[in-house]
Amino acid sequence: VQLQASGGGLVQAGGSLRLSCAASGLTFSSYDMGWFRQAPGKEREFVAGISRSGVSTYYADSVKGRFTISRDNAKNTVYLQMNSLKPEDTAVYYCAADRNLGTMRPTEYDYWGQGTLVTVSS
């Protein structure tokens, strides 16, 4: 199984980025998907999750209204649209796959991507 995250980079505060995570080696439509992030010196934290059908989405309070998670099961890809970025959003962002019902707990996820760095300058 491979989850390949991409789309990170350097952006000014207030800007936008779109992260992608391409999955292979698993039946993508059978997995709930999540995005997590980890800033230097901090624990990995939940950002957003989406059900396998794409009907249900849920977000951390810190990103609600600014970030949007979506998926395209035909392309085996999950996305994270990030708008109105803030310096505190700076982190390595990871996508993850959960064969059970998606949760906010990283320990519940079965597969992880390698991460993509997002840096927001003030």
Side-chain angles (χ1 to χ4, degrees):
V1 174
Q2 281 196 325
L3 300 177
Q4 184 71 41
S6 62
L10 174 64
V11 64
Q12 287 189 332
S16 298
L17 281 175
R18 188 195 196 201
L19 306 184
S20 299
C21 173
S24 60
L26 77 170
T27 304
F28 183 70
S29 59
S30 296
Y31 286 77
D32 286 11
M33 299 296 294
W35 284 97
F36 292 78
R37 66 187 181 187
Q38 188 166 17
K42 295 189 176 181
E43 292 187 352
R44 191 168 297 191
E45 64 174 0
F46 171 80
V47 175
I50 188 166
S51 63
R52 57 208 64 195
S53 68
V55 170
S56 298
T57 59
Y58 42 103
Y59 300 90
D61 287 343
S62 59
V63 307
K64 206 170 290 184
R66 300 189 297 123
F67 291 10
T68 303
I69 188 171
S70 62
R71 66 190 295 163
D72 185 338
N73 285 348
K75 295 183 178 180
N76 288 357
T77 302
V78 61
Y79 305 97
L80 186 67
Q81 177 67 44
M82 306 186 295
N83 298 329
S84 302
L85 282 161
K86 304 175 181 180
E88 51 263 44
D89 294 318
T90 295
V92 177
Y93 283 72
Y94 299 88
C95 59
D98 184 358
R99 67 168 62 92
N100 297 312
L101 285 178
T103 77
M104 297 182 181
R105 295 187 296 273
T107 55
E108 298 294 318
Y109 283 75
D110 302 290
Y111 303 109
W112 290 84
Q114 85 291 355
T116 185
L117 177 62
V118 172
T119 304
V120 184
S121 63
S122 57

